[in-house]
């Protein structure tokens, strides 16, 4: 197994972090902006950003999409679907067919 060389970076807010990829996301900033409640708080950062980047910030927005469409978003994986499905169901909603 090879290890990638990590480069030191500093975000716009002054946080210093190490990354081996070209991803510009600061882990500290990402943790600070994670919601403390609501359905987005249940998701990993990449899945949450995938929904936010596609304008999905409410369960009503989410219910306008099919599971297949949601899985097409960059950052969204199949592990997030059961959480989303369950939260929709608890609120009387479902994914679009």
């Amino acid at each position: 197994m090879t290890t990638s060389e990590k480069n030191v970076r500093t975000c716009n807010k002054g946080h210093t972090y190490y990354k081996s990829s070209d991803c510009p996301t600061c882990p500290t900033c990402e943790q600070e902006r994670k919601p403390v409640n609501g359905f987005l708080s249940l998701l990993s950062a990449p899945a949450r950003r995938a929904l936010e980047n596609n304008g999905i910030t409410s369960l009503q927005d989410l219910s306008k999409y099919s599971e297949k469409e949601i899985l097409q978003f960059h950052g969204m994986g199949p592990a997030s679907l059961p959480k989303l499905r369950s939260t929709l169901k608890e609120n009387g909603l479902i994914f679009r067919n």
Side-chain angles (χ1 to χ4, degrees):
M1 181 173 167
T2 61
T3 56
S4 300
E5 184 178 329
K6 293 187 176 188
N7 299 308
V8 67
R9 298 186 187 178
T10 304
C11 75
N12 294 339
K13 290 186 175 182
H15 302 128
T16 301
Y17 60 98
Y18 293 87
K19 283 276 183 136
S20 58
S21 69
D22 291 333
C23 176
T25 304
C26 168
T28 305
C29 289
E30 196 59 36
Q31 190 61 35
E32 288 176 354
R33 65 183 285 288
K34 181 179 179 173
V36 292
N37 52 35
F39 81 103
L40 291 174
S41 69
L42 304 173
L43 303 174
S44 66
R48 186 178 71 250
R49 284 192 306 269
L51 294 180
E52 291 170 340
N53 290 339
N54 285 281
I56 301 171
T57 57
S58 72
L59 289 173
Q60 289 74 21
D61 294 338
L62 181 63
S63 69
K64 296 175 184 175
Y65 291 84
S66 69
E67 290 184 21
K68 186 176 180 180
E69 290 170 322
I70 295 294
L71 284 173
Q72 304 265 330
F73 298 156
H74 177 75
M76 183 59 68
S80 296
L81 283 182
K83 295 173 189 174
L84 295 174
R85 214 179 288 124
S86 173
T87 304
L88 283 169
K89 185 178 179 180
E90 289 170 10
N91 289 275
L93 298 168
I94 58 170
F95 281 108
R96 183 174 62 83
N97 290 324

